[in-house]
Each structure stands twice: as C-alpha cells, then as structure tokens.
Amino acid sequence: MEQHYKFTLMDLPYAYDALEPYLTEEVVKIHHTRHHQAYVNNLNEALTPYPQYQGWTLEQLVTRYQELPLSISAKVRNNAGGVNNHNLYFLGMAPPKERIEAPQLLLAIEEGYGTFEDFTAVFLKEAADVFGSGYCWLVGDPRAKAGLRIVTTPNQDTVLPMGLFPLFTVDVWEHAYYLQYLNKRPEYLKNWFYLINWERANIIFVNYQRQRYSRGL
Ligand code: MN3
C-alpha cells in the first residue's frame, strides 16, 4: 500500500499451479500476468504526465481519486482500484490446508452469522448475486455485529473509501474464472472458498480489532 508511481506488478506468494485443482495454472497465470499487469500499466500511463501525483500511494489514489484532474480521475479510480483489488484477491488465497487456523476470526463469524456454514452460504450468495463485474468482500466494520460485514462493490471499486477494513475478497469478473468454469460463477465461488487464506485474514482481523479498541470504536 505504501508503493507509489512507478507501480510494479506484485509477485504472487505461491506458484501458478499451487491453487490447483480449484484454480488451474492457466487461469492464475493469465489473470496475474495479463489482467493484473494491465491495471498496473494503465495506472502508470495515467500518472506519467502528472508528476505532482506520482508520490501518492495506492491507498491515496483509491480513496482520493476525486481530487485528481477530470482527465485522469476515472482512469485512476478504475486502475488503482484494479491494482489494489487484485493485490488483495491474490494475497487472500493460499494453497488449501486441512484445518482452518483463524481462532479469533472464526469466533467473530459465529457471533455474527450463527454458524460457519451459515456464513459460507450468505457469502457465496452475495458473491454470486453481484450484477456484472465486481467483488465480494469480508470486511471489518465497527458498526456491524461482531465487527464483521459482507459487502460487494461494482467494477474495480474498493471498500477503502467506505472506511472498511478488507480481510479478503473474491474477484467475480468473468476473466477470473471463465477459462476453467465458463459461465458457472457459483461453481467457481464454491471452489475459491477452499483457497481462502484464513491465517492471513485472522492476522488482519486481530490487528483491526486492536486498532478499533484503541480508537474507542
Ligand atoms: Mn480480475
């Protein structure tokens, strides 16, 4: 998030074939090297003529794009959002493990949603119901029950301007799954769920709770 122009493509913390069989090597590789890379390239291209904004971090660009000149604000919104969202999507996955190790987060999920199975059903339905292209997120939200909320965003919009704290997100653009699942988004989502990096989500959640209490929220 501290990175600024000139942005570079984030390395994945796993091999392209590490998410098989749920996501094939081909799907992950094309998504990363072509789609994710294109957002990086387009963001750099937008900022090249504007040295005064080249010190802005990705977080500043996705939360303050409205302050930019009209000639680039939409392009920055879409492409800084695209870089940010793909970073979070890829970091939010990991090769599947036998057990979910996320004690604090699992407790909060049960408090907020009853059971883990109920949470799973709600999340998968929200993600399946995103109209067109977008993302479904699990976020920390101090106003929500147990501090957790499921939200969806259209296009490449992020949850950061809403003051929410992303734990993980799933990309429901067709390019994320079409090569493997064709038009069967619910099947992609069911399999993506096995790839959630629960350990990372738990670390972010614990950190979020700590900040929340220290700010009296
Ligand atoms: Mn994508």
Side-chain angles (χ1 to χ4, degrees):
M1 280 310 244
E2 294 310 307
Q3 203 194 359
H4 57 80
Y5 183 93
K6 195 169 186 183
F7 292 93
T8 54
L9 181 64
M10 178 194 85
D11 288 330
L12 299 193
Y14 40 77
Y16 286 126
D17 64 0
L19 306 180
E20 292 197 352
Y22 305 111
L23 286 176
T24 63
E25 177 175 6
E26 185 188 30
V27 166
V28 177
K29 194 172 187 173
I30 289 179
H31 200 175
H32 182 241
T33 61
R34 300 203 196 168
H35 296 277
H36 196 174
Q37 178 75 62
Y39 292 108
V40 172
N41 295 347
N42 291 336
L43 177 59
N44 285 332
E45 191 183 284
L47 293 173
T48 298
Y50 295 93
Q52 63 271 43
Y53 303 116
Q54 291 175 0
W56 284 30
T57 63
L58 199 54
E59 182 165 357
Q60 287 175 305
L61 291 166
V62 297
T63 51
R64 296 173 52 193
Y65 60 85
Q66 283 154 319
E67 296 169 38
L68 299 172
L70 267 183
S71 53
I72 58 164
S73 64
K75 194 168 180 181
V76 168
R77 175 186 188 168
N78 290 330
N79 290 289
V83 175
N84 173 71
N85 291 355
H86 284 89
N87 288 352
L88 295 176
Y89 170 67
F90 284 121
L91 291 173
M93 293 189 288
K97 287 190 170 173
E98 289 288 316
R99 278 188 65 227
I100 294 176
E101 284 166 35
Q104 292 90 343
L105 179 54
L106 288 183
L107 267 179
I109 283 175
E110 285 173 4
E111 192 190 330
Y113 292 89
T115 65
F116 185 74
E117 287 67 34
D118 289 336
F119 162 78
T120 306
V122 174
F123 190 97
L124 293 180
K125 178 160 189 347
E126 292 269 331
D129 287 348
V130 172
F131 183 75
S133 298
Y135 290 79
C136 186
W137 310 71
L138 181 65
V139 298
D141 177 358
R143 295 152 293 192
K145 191 176 178 193
L148 285 178
R149 189 171 144 203
I150 297 167
V151 291
T152 64
T153 51
N155 306 314
Q156 292 295 352
D157 285 356
T158 77
V159 295
L160 298 178
M162 300 150 84
L164 301 171
F165 217 87
L167 303 181
F168 56 73
T169 187
V170 61
D171 184 344
V172 298
W173 283 57
E174 275 190 348
H175 71 230
Y177 59 89
Y178 201 85
L179 277 174
Q180 185 175 356
Y181 294 99
L182 301 178
N183 59 332
K184 291 173 270 185
R185 186 193 285 181
E187 199 175 317
Y188 156 66
L189 291 169
K190 189 164 64 82
N191 284 337
W192 163 82
F193 207 83
Y194 295 114
L195 299 172
I196 295 172
N197 187 342
W198 288 103
E199 275 175 51
R200 178 177 186 274
N202 193 61
I203 291 168
I204 299 171
F205 181 68
V206 168
N207 186 33
Y208 150 75
Q209 292 286 51
R210 201 174 288 142
Q211 286 188 32
R212 181 185 163 190
Y213 290 123
S214 70
R215 283 184 288 152
L217 291 167

